[in-house]
Amino acid sequence: MRLNRRAFIGTGVAATAALQAPMVWSQGRARVVVIGGGAGGATVARYLAKDSNGEIDVVLVEPAKHYYTCFFSNLYIGGFQDMADLGHSYGTLAAEYGVNVVHDWAVGVDRDAKTVTLAGGAVLSYDRLVLSPGIDFVDGSVPGWDVSVQNKMPHAYKGGSQAELLKAQIEAMPEGGRFAMVAPPNPYRCPPGPYERISMVAHLLTQVNPTAKILLVDPKESFSKQALFEEGWQKHYGGMVERIGPDFGGDKVEVRADTMEVIIDGNAEKVDACNVIPGQKAGRICEMAGVTEGNWAPVTGHTMQSRIDGNVYVLGDASNQGDMPKSGYSANSQAKVAAMAIRGELLGSSVFPAKFSNTCWSLIATDDGVKVGAAYEATDEKIASVSSFISQTGEDADLRKQTYEESLGWYAGITSDMFG
Amino acid sequence: MIKALVKILGLAALCGGGGIAHADLLGDAKRGETLFRDCRSCHQVGEGAQNRIGPHLNNIFGRKAGSVGDDYRYSKGLARMGADGLIWSFDTLDAYIENPKALVSDTRMAYRGMKDEKDRADLLAYLRDFSASPANIPESQPTARPREVELSSETLAIVGDKAYGEYLASECLTCHQRSGSNEGIPGVVGWPVEDFVIAMHAYKRQIRPHPVMQMMAGRLSDEEIAALAAYFEDLE
């Protein structure tokens, strides 16, 4: 879609645009519009504003005035966090960093005109656009489930009110009742997330409904931290969790929300609460902007620039970049690379080789934390994993407690890195 | 050196992307697919792969040696290596494919070995695609090797004291021959200062794998590394 100089000169309208663009560059401030105020978007907005000495006009478009992080929402379900503590506002980004925060939905992107249209009718022009919308769900991923039944069978996979709803439904289960989770197919946000959630639901039920059962229906043969979770479930919640993998029909599942049934390979199971985490794709705005291929938006790992349009950057879950898992930590890491690259383009500042990292902490039970992490570097083909580590089974209690405490420190760190 | 790199990258960014590879992928998977023809008479890989004469190679990266299951019968030596804790990784597979009997004396894998390093890297890059993806299972094994360490110009600018270097080098010469021989242990005689310094810092930061070198480099200061570098560069 990028037009070269000759194409610009070709038509009168385009020629006007070509004359205007350098005007913005030299006289006005260059403008970066960021869509989505999560771990990718808030971070890139903050770094662009912070490091450009006011030379870049940063506009952050995010519908929510209070943003509730999806990461740590499992700890809310387990009773280890208050929802209020997971909420953050954009006041500091606006007041201290000069980010222009617009609480609205982006409903359209015109990449030729370089404009974003908001639901409220406003049209924002941009020099560079950053898309960091997170995930949406793939239609028909779990037959019988769509967003119209999300209040009967919550996905609880975007944090906030859905997590509150799921917790309330689990707490309301009859004594000895059954909770089911339909786990998502790869790739999805937060690889250990569904399994940490199983741990937290088990922890909650152990307190309020100890004879209850958990049914985990999983289309995947294996999952991240599997040995650690399975060891933990046995140790802390012996006999409560039953996992049905693809060898027993875990990949042939449908749900009936009106009768609260989960049908596994043709066999109906009645459940009392059900968490359906469907297959995922890039947040819808990426598709609207025409920067997706398949379910995700391909980017180059050197800069996080869209492979379809160099004026567009895509961060976090929505991007297809290679080896990094979809996580808040990854999005935050990618945002810093993108901010550096965008400043390099617009202001000519130094651009260093891209470096990325990710760590995912999970809580299995009280003071029983584990982690997995890796370092990544950019290649022309993709962002590639160059080393990784994982907590070991059988670690002593002190180390596990230390790991949990480390995760609390990380939460404080990343949220202040995002919101200031 | 760093400055030059920055310049090139800045230019690439201004031109709208593309750029320099900073990490090296394990190898060329496409070429590896062709090389795998040699293996295919015994091993299967990919969807529906079964154990044949040799075990299937799906999820080989990260698998404990001798543990494919499904009643596949391994040689005693391979089973023992698994019990001893051998995990298949790029490095262990590379050593095995180079010379199977060097790693597992009584292996039944009747293959003389793939001598060319690049062939092995390409073959392993091909096989890596049939093991867990780091995007889905972050702890799964790397798909690339990290780039060499970059150092600040201050570190690179330390001018080494050759006399001190000579003293320190006595420890190195126990293994690295004064003659510069590359037999078994790589020679270090006549290495350019910059290469030497970068390599030693890579060991020191445990980016380059080798337990002995990590231990040796780990206790050297920046000045000591500079001194060694100056000494070895001038050796003939």
Side-chain angles (χ1 to χ4, degrees), chain A residues 336-380:
Chain A
K336 295 169 195 178
V337 168
M340 174 184 65
I342 292 168
R343 285 194 302 112
E345 286 205 356
L346 297 178
L347 305 177
S349 57
S350 299
V351 178
F352 299 98
K355 247 188 188 324
F356 305 92
S357 58
N358 175 69
T359 304
C360 296
W361 287 267
S362 302
L363 188 61
I364 297 175
T366 306
D367 287 336
D368 192 356
V370 292
K371 61 182 168 184
V372 60
Y376 308 88
E377 289 175 14
T379 69
D380 288 342

Side-chain angles (χ1 to χ4, degrees), chain A residues 184-231:
Chain A
N186 288 324
Y188 60 94
R189 156 180 289 184
C190 188
Y195 310 97
E196 179 184 57
R197 174 167 297 167
I198 291 291
S199 310
M200 291 294 94
V201 171
H203 177 78
L204 174 63
L205 288 173
T206 304
Q207 324 278 307
V208 301
N209 191 348
T211 56
K213 296 286 182 202
I214 295 174
L215 183 62
L216 165 56
V217 187
D218 199 337
K220 302 181 296 299
E221 274 175 29
S222 57
F223 56 88
S224 180
K225 300 176 181 167
Q226 184 162 0
L228 296 166
F229 282 118
E230 289 176 348
E231 177 193 56

Side-chain angles (χ1 to χ4, degrees), chain B residues 205-227:
Chain B
R205 296 188 205 170
Q206 310 211 337
I207 291 167
R208 274 200 187 204
H210 191 277
V212 177
M213 282 311 302
Q214 287 180 357
M215 180 189 72
M216 291 291 181
R219 59 190 171 174
L220 295 172
S221 69
D222 293 353
E223 288 77 9
E224 286 167 330
I225 290 172

Side-chain angles (χ1 to χ4, degrees), chain B residues 78-89:
Chain B
L78 215 97
R80 187 167 52 241
M81 289 306 266
D84 284 347
L86 178 72
I87 303 290
W88 291 125
S89 65

Side-chain angles (χ1 to χ4, degrees), chain A residues 270-281:
Chain A
K270 191 98 178 71
V271 299
D272 299 294
C274 186
N275 175 202
V276 176
I277 309 174
Q280 296 163 26
K281 62 180 182 181

Side-chain angles (χ1 to χ4, degrees), chain B residues 85-132:
Chain B
L86 178 72
I87 303 290
W88 291 125
S89 65
F90 181 83
D91 289 338
T92 54
L93 284 166
D94 184 60
Y96 191 52
I97 294 169
E98 182 181 14
N99 181 358
K101 290 199 160 39
L103 198 65
V104 183
S105 308
D106 69 346
T107 180
R108 282 200 299 265
M109 185 158 91
Y111 180 65
R112 279 173 318 169
M114 189 177 275
K115 297 307 167 203
D116 185 79
E117 192 176 344
K118 183 172 183 315
D119 287 351
R120 297 196 302 274
D122 293 345
L123 177 67
L124 288 172
Y126 171 68
L127 291 176
R128 178 65 188 82
D129 287 343
F130 299 100
S131 290

